[in-house]
């Protein structure tokens, strides 16, 4: 049996606690000790080889997909997304499901969503009061949840929409701190002893969500989806090469997968983008100049092509990988990677965080510097916020489009400022990392709070037609 590289010496229970409480501090500590490859053992979860070396990661991405299992390494997510989730599949089943799910998230399809994203952003922003602060992540979460409800689930009004929206928010908030996230990692806490236990509460909400989604699927099957452009309708119409459609369970679990994978990730990254843009006046100024240059255009897709806006989004995704490691790759047979011999059943875990903070690739990595993406082109294993290979994020194109459109819509209409200038660090929120939430000891807010300083109204870019200019009253927008 071959030796795993640089095994961390501390007890597995201690490694698990540290991994849950502070996954970035954990990786910093051991990469300083061992370099860009080390082996951690998480009590009750398994042994993982953490890799921050781009050459080795490229070798992993280049391997034939049949060389690894990935889905079974994601079993930890099953209680949330269900066993028919793309994330949990391997082999032919994964290949088939990805083919069915991919078209709504790419190419021309995306264009049809662009205007809707801008409108949702305007509706949410129109509720901000000048001079009053708001929590950036909460505001972004409202936008990204609405995007998923409207674009993916196809729901924007009605009783089911009204019930589902608050329910999904409270369900997702079950793991909003490192302590509350521990129920996802510690099996002994996963006991359904009624609604006074966190797990019981989560299960009850999940049951209600399932019920509502099933009712929506039933209704669509009865009434048909003619003329609808939402992702659920496209998923229901999709057929595999044997003419087989997706089952109700598959549809339901994939809707929840998209919700879990796409909602918090995009909202959190947007919150970090607003934070860095307003901490760095030069960045803000350059961005506004670029957006000003767009005033004569009316197509939201032009926004997606703006080079500096693109670089700002890329740099945000580099500095704040909401998912700090990609899905674990489990070797199915002995394999040689980067000069190391790995046995079958070794779990390899490429670290986005370790790669994105390498000083040889990103000098002054702690500094927010969008220009690095204008000056240099990074390879897929040097810059991997959406993972890579056959498991690359399904929603990478939608996520980037949404980020650009939300930033452009807000920045061209509002002058914002950070409510406080103290530095904010990422902390665990379920499987993701988000801005600090409430400080447990003092009850103090330690998150990105923003103040809307002024409403500018200087853009038409996002809707076409005549340009509302400064001083013209805002349009009447329905509230969300
Ligand atoms: C800023 C936003 C996002 C980030 C940073 C992100 C990041 C990631 C990462 C790192 C992976 C794992 C890839 C790998 O292991 O190689 C992943 C997978 C996935 N993401 Fe995203 N994601 C984002 C938004 C979205 C959105 C909007 C959707 C939904 C449309 C989505 C759906 C998925 C799905 C379904 C998978 C599993 C793919 C598979 O197993 O084949 N993500 N994402």
């Amino acid at each position: 049996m071959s030796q795993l590289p640089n095994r961390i010496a501390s007890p597995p229970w201690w490694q698990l606690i540290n991994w849950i409480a502070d996954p970035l501090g954990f990786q910093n500590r051991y990469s300083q000790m061992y370099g860009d490859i080390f082996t951690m053992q998480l009590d009750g979860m398994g042994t993982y080889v953490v890799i921050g070396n781009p050459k080795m990661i490229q070798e992993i991405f280049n391997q034939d997909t049949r060389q690894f299992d990935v889905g079974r390494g994601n079993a930890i997510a099953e209680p949330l997304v269900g066993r028919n989730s793309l994330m949990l599949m391997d082999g032919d089943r994964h290949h088939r499901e990805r083919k069915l799910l991919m078209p709504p998230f790419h190419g021309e399809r995306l264009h049809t969503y662009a205007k809707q994203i801008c409108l949702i952003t305007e509706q949410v922003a129109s509720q901000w009061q000048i001079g009053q602060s708001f929590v950036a992540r909460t505001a972004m979460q409202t936008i990204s949840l609405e995007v998923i409800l409207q674009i993916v689930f196809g729901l924007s009004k009605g009783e089911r929409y009204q019930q589902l929206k608050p329910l999904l928010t409270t369900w997702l908030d079950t793991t909003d701190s490192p302590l509350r996230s521990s129920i996802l990692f510690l099996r002994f806490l996963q006991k359904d002893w009624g609604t006074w236990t966190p797990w019981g509460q989560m299960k009850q909400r999940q049951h209600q969500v399932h019920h509502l989604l099933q009712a929506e699927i039933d209704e669509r099957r009865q009434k048909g989806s003619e003329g609808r452009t939402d992702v659920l309708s496209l998923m229901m119409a999709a057929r595999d090469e044997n003419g087989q459609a997706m089952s109700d369970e598959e549809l339901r679990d994939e809707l929840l997968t998209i919700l879990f994978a796409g909602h918090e990730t995009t909202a959190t990254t947007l919150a970090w983008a607003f934070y860095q843009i307003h901490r760095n006046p030069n960045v803000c100024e350059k961005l506004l100049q670029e957006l000003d240059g767009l005033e004569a255009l009316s197509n939201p897709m032009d926004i997606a092509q703006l080079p500096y806006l693109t670089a700002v989004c890329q740099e945000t995704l580099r500095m704040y990988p909401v998912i700090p490691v990609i899905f674990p790759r489990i070797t199915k047979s002995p394999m040689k990677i980067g000069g190391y011999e790995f046995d079958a059943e070794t779990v390899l875990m490429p670290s986005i965080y370790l790669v994105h903070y390498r000083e040889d690739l990103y000098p002054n990595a702690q500094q927010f510097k969008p220009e690095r993406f204008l000056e240099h082109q990074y390879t897929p294993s040097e810059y991997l916020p959406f993972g890579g290979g056959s498991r690359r994020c399904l929603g990478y194109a939608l996520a980037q489009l949404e980020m650009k459109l939300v930033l452009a819509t807000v920045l061209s209409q509002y002058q914002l400022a950070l409510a406080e200038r103290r530095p904010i660090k990422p902390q665990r929120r379920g499987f993701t990392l988000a801005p600090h939430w409430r400080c447990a000891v003092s009850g103090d807010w330690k998150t990105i709070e923003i103040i809307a300083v002024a409403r500018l109204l200087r853009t038409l870019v996002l809707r076409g037609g005549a340009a509302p200019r400064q001083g013209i009253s805002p349009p009447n927008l329905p509230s969300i």
Side-chain angles (χ1 to χ4, degrees):
M1 225 168 87
S2 43
Q3 285 279 329
L4 289 173
N6 305 323
R7 267 179 178 273
I8 297 174
S10 48
W13 61 267
W14 181 241
Q15 293 184 49
L16 178 67
I17 290 175
N18 279 286
W19 180 253
I20 297 172
D22 182 14
L24 299 187
F26 183 102
Q27 293 188 66
N28 279 336
R29 209 162 33 253
Y30 293 110
S31 62
Q32 272 163 24
M33 236 183 229
Y34 298 117
D36 56 16
I37 180 163
F38 56 86
T39 302
M40 66 177 183
Q41 201 180 345
L42 305 182
D43 200 21
M45 287 180 63
T47 302
Y48 301 83
V49 181
V50 181
I51 303 173
N53 179 309
K55 285 208 180 83
M56 286 181 71
I57 294 174
Q58 194 57 56
E59 282 186 53
I60 294 173
F61 286 164
N62 289 348
Q63 293 281 336
D64 187 310
T65 52
R66 283 166 299 192
Q67 296 295 321
F68 296 111
D69 272 346
V70 177
R72 65 187 165 106
N74 285 336
I76 189 172
E78 185 182 327
L80 298 176
V81 293
R83 65 194 157 95
N84 298 293
S85 163
L86 176 75
M87 270 163 51
L88 305 188
M89 292 177 188
D90 276 312
D92 290 346
R93 195 167 173 226
H94 175 258
H95 186 68
R96 166 197 180 260
E97 194 84 351
R98 241 184 114 96
K99 259 175 113 174
L100 286 172
L101 290 175
M102 196 66 115
F105 293 106
H106 292 90
E108 282 296 306
R109 272 282 153 212
L110 281 184
H111 299 200
T112 53
Y113 307 142
K115 283 211 167 144
Q116 225 168 328
I117 295 173
C118 297
L119 195 62
I120 291 169
T121 310
E122 287 187 12
Q123 286 166 347
V124 172
S126 70
Q127 284 159 31
W128 297 340
Q129 303 290 321
I130 302 302
Q132 260 181 33
S133 66
F134 58 89
V135 176
R137 204 187 52 79
T138 312
M140 293 307 118
Q141 225 175 313
T142 310
I143 294 174
S144 80
L145 180 60
E146 202 59 43
V147 167
I148 290 195
L149 281 171
Q150 291 193 22
I151 288 175
V152 180
F153 293 21
L155 290 171
S156 58
K157 53 184 186 304
E159 201 184 326
R160 201 166 292 136
Y161 163 81
Q162 294 297 349
Q163 288 176 322
L164 204 50
K165 205 167 126 171
L167 189 58
L168 290 174
T169 309
T170 37
W171 189 30
L172 292 162
D173 279 347
T174 320
T175 54
D176 65 4
S177 72
L179 190 63
R180 286 157 66 95
S181 302
S182 54
I183 57 168
L184 299 173
F185 298 89
L186 304 174
R187 290 246 168 79
F188 66 89
L189 292 177
Q190 296 178 358
K191 297 275 183 295
D192 186 355
W193 283 325
T195 48
W196 52 274
T197 56
W199 194 255
Q201 224 175 53
M202 201 157 91
K203 284 279 142 191
Q204 195 209 35
R205 287 175 189 149
Q206 185 184 41
H207 184 72
Q208 292 167 331
V209 171
H210 280 186
H211 181 74
L212 287 168
L213 291 183
Q214 188 58 54
E216 182 64 25
I217 293 169
D218 289 345
E219 195 179 304
R220 299 274 181 102
R221 289 219 192 276
Q222 268 173 15
K223 291 189 182 163
S225 302
E226 195 142 334
R228 300 189 69 129
T229 54
D230 56 84
V231 175
L232 174 59
S233 303
L234 298 173
M235 275 158 60
M236 290 178 81
R239 297 288 179 272
D240 66 14
E241 47 271 13
N242 302 319
Q244 203 67 27
M246 290 169 77
S247 68
D248 283 6
E249 290 74 25
E250 274 180 306
L251 289 169
R252 187 197 64 201
D253 290 355
E254 296 304 13
L255 286 177
L256 293 179
T257 302
I258 292 165
L259 172 78
F260 270 99
H263 163 49
E264 298 231 332
T265 43
T266 313
T268 298
T269 314
L270 269 166
W272 287 122
F274 278 107
Y275 171 67
Q276 284 296 354
I277 290 166
H278 293 93
R279 266 176 80 83
N280 294 282
N282 289 347
V283 172
C284 191
E285 207 173 300
K286 276 194 194 170
L287 204 48
L288 291 179
Q289 262 173 22
E290 193 177 61
L291 290 171
D292 277 349
L294 254 190
E295 258 182 302
L297 301 172
S298 59
N299 178 4
M301 291 313 285
D302 291 327
I303 294 169
Q305 309 300 328
L306 293 175
Y308 198 68
L309 177 62
T310 303
V312 167
C313 294
Q314 286 171 311
E315 177 69 341
T316 308
L317 285 158
R318 177 194 72 82
M319 262 188 102
Y320 301 103
V322 277
I323 305 175
V325 287
I326 69 171
F327 296 160
R329 269 55 173 180
I330 308 170
T331 57
K332 288 172 77 178
S333 53
M335 191 182 287
K336 202 170 170 187
I337 289 179
Y340 293 93
E341 304 267 0
F342 295 112
D343 291 330
E345 294 300 307
T346 306
V347 188
L348 306 177
M349 197 189 246
S351 166
I352 305 176
Y353 173 71
L354 289 182
V355 175
H356 285 189
Y357 278 80
R358 285 181 74 102
E359 281 290 324
D360 57 346
L361 292 175
Y362 302 98
N364 299 319
Q366 299 289 344
Q367 212 182 321
F368 187 77
K369 209 171 149 247
E371 288 72 15
R372 56 175 111 238
F373 284 92
L374 300 173
E375 292 156 6
H376 187 88
Q377 196 139 21
Y378 293 93
T379 67
S381 59
E382 291 172 345
Y383 179 67
L384 60 158
F386 297 103
S390 63
R391 307 299 292 220
R392 188 180 186 200
C393 173
L394 185 82
Y396 74 94
L398 175 64
Q400 291 177 98
L401 179 68
E402 186 175 334
M403 282 180 70
K404 291 176 193 176
L405 295 180
V406 172
L407 287 171
T409 309
V410 171
L411 293 174
S412 57
Q413 298 193 22
Y414 290 86
Q415 189 184 336
L416 303 174
L418 289 175
E420 274 205 54
R421 290 206 58 85
R422 62 180 163 173
I424 308 287
K425 288 195 175 142
Q427 77 164 26
R428 186 179 283 289
R429 192 184 147 87
F431 295 122
T432 67
L433 295 176
H436 248 266
W437 197 231
R438 205 189 276 269
C439 174
V441 185
S442 62
D444 193 13
W445 287 103
K446 240 183 166 185
T447 189
I448 305 168
E449 270 192 274
I450 287 182
I451 292 184
V453 179
R455 179 116 210 233
L456 301 171
L457 284 173
R458 59 177 180 194
T459 182
L460 82 156
V461 178
L462 310 169
R463 44 184 55 219
R469 302 223 165 255
Q470 296 227 18
I472 297 175
S473 24
N476 271 337
L477 296 163
S479 61
I480 282 180

